[in-house]
Amino acid sequence: MRKSSTSSYHSVRSPSVNANLVFQTSPLPVPSTSRYGCFSASAKRYKFLRRLLKFHQMDFEFAFWQTINLFISPQKVYRNFQYRKQSKSQFARDDPAFLVLLGVWICITSIAFKFVLDLHFVGFVKFLLYTLFVDCIAVSVVVASVSWFVLNRYFRKPQCLNEDVEWGYTFDVHLNAYFPSLILLHLVQLFFYHIFISQDWFLSRVFGNLLWVISIGYYVYITFLGYSSVPILQNVKVILYFLPVLILLYLLSKQQ
């Protein structure tokens, strides 16, 4: 009985066998910085990108569950990230299903924009490509890189300087915070655009600005939850300082 439990323990804690199998069976070239016997950052990135080619291995049901709970209970989403850290020794997602599902939502909302704003086909394609590759991918990479640098440089606890926040996790946190904003501004807003928001009324401006405040507030709060879940970080409450500033700007916009 003891031998069985010991064997089970090592099978969970030692990723080397799985890593070797990944590199041996994949048709993609092995990353030059990969090392057998451990999951380096390049190995994790390689595994994530490799799974982008295999939709049948993605858990879209769980990814959809995350999109729902990012609205109603984002704490549950980050609780799952903590479970992943305990079981797989990484906070970042190892399944690209959420990223793929986000891309699907961008396509859906872009189609909605085409009909509401009466975009011609070329305009629609430009809008879709810009939203997908600039608004989502490029901005996410920049925000994740800046967040990764700032968090590891200024927010790590002194006793945890030998550990760092994964770049992949900062990328995930941004995507988590981006999704509610996408739905509010690229989908919900469209239902009110012609009948209310596009009108030159004071209440129209108040309502339109309110949607922006809610979406940015969601972004700030979900970002705070993401980094407050990382035990090696401290003083992440400063992220919430943006909320009073946001509310003040909203109140000032009502004066104009």
Side-chain angles (χ1 to χ4, degrees):
M1 189 70 178
R2 175 179 294 275
K3 182 178 179 180
S4 174
S5 62
T6 304
S7 175
S8 175
Y9 173 81
H10 286 295
S11 66
V12 173
R13 298 294 297 175
S14 301
S16 57
V17 175
N18 293 332
N20 294 345
L21 289 175
V22 167
F23 294 136
Q24 290 171 1
T25 60
S26 172
L28 297 177
V30 178
S32 60
T33 54
S34 66
R35 294 177 298 171
Y36 293 104
C38 71
F39 273 134
S40 63
S42 61
K44 293 176 183 177
R45 183 169 60 250
Y46 167 80
K47 181 182 178 183
F48 183 89
L49 293 175
R50 176 177 173 269
R51 291 189 66 179
L52 276 173
L53 306 176
K54 299 186 176 182
F55 292 97
H56 65 280
Q57 293 185 358
M58 299 182 191
D59 190 351
F60 287 105
E61 181 179 356
F62 179 62
F64 185 75
W65 175 88
Q66 292 181 77
T67 61
I68 298 298
N69 279 277
L70 283 172
F71 278 99
I72 62 177
S73 183
Q75 296 91 338
K76 289 183 180 179
V77 177
Y78 286 115
R79 200 172 299 135
N80 177 265
F81 277 83
Q82 292 174 327
Y83 295 155
R84 185 182 301 109
K85 177 64 174 178
Q86 295 170 5
S87 61
K88 299 183 179 181
S89 299
Q90 68 177 64
F91 274 110
R93 292 185 176 98
D94 58 352
D95 184 353
F98 184 87
L99 180 60
V100 173
L101 193 59
L102 178 61
V104 172
W105 275 109
I106 289 176
C107 292
I108 293 173
T109 57
S110 297
I111 293 173
F113 254 93
K114 174 192 175 354
F115 288 105
V116 172
L117 301 182
D118 195 24
L119 299 176
H120 54 79
F121 180 74
V122 175
F124 161 70
V125 172
K126 288 182 179 179
F127 178 78
L128 173 61
L129 294 178
Y130 182 88
T131 305
L132 187 60
F133 292 104
V134 179
D135 267 4
C136 182
I137 302 299
V139 173
S140 296
V141 169
V142 172
V143 172
S145 300
V146 172
S147 300
W148 175 81
F149 174 79
V150 172
L151 290 168
N152 286 314
R153 184 70 177 269
Y154 301 107
F155 288 87
R156 279 187 298 174
K157 295 177 181 178
Q159 64 271 27
C160 300
L161 295 181
N162 60 330
E163 303 178 63
D164 63 357
V165 180
E166 307 159 36
W167 184 92
Y169 183 67
T170 62
F171 185 76
D172 286 338
V173 169
H174 172 73
L175 292 184
N176 289 344
Y178 172 79
F179 178 75
S181 300
L182 172 74
I183 298 301
L184 287 171
L185 298 179
H186 282 222
L187 187 61
V188 174
Q189 182 175 219
L190 297 182
F191 290 100
F192 304 94
Y193 182 76
H194 284 305
I195 63 175
F196 192 55
I197 296 178
S198 63
Q199 306 300 323
D200 189 20
W201 302 334
F202 172 75
L203 290 180
S204 299
R205 292 193 297 272
V206 169
F207 180 74
N209 290 341
L210 180 61
L211 283 178
W212 275 90
V213 169
I214 293 174
S215 65
I216 297 174
Y218 250 117
Y219 183 93
V220 171
Y221 179 64
I222 291 177
T223 300
F224 161 74
L225 288 179
Y227 295 132
S228 64
S229 300
V230 182
I232 68 172
L233 297 179
Q234 62 181 355
N235 301 325
V236 294
K237 288 184 178 180
V238 299
I239 297 174
L240 295 177
Y241 293 169
F242 288 102
L243 293 179
V245 176
L246 181 64
I247 295 174
L248 178 62
L249 291 175
Y250 174 68
L251 293 176
L252 290 175
S253 71
K254 294 170 63 176
Q255 306 294 326
Q256 300 177 357

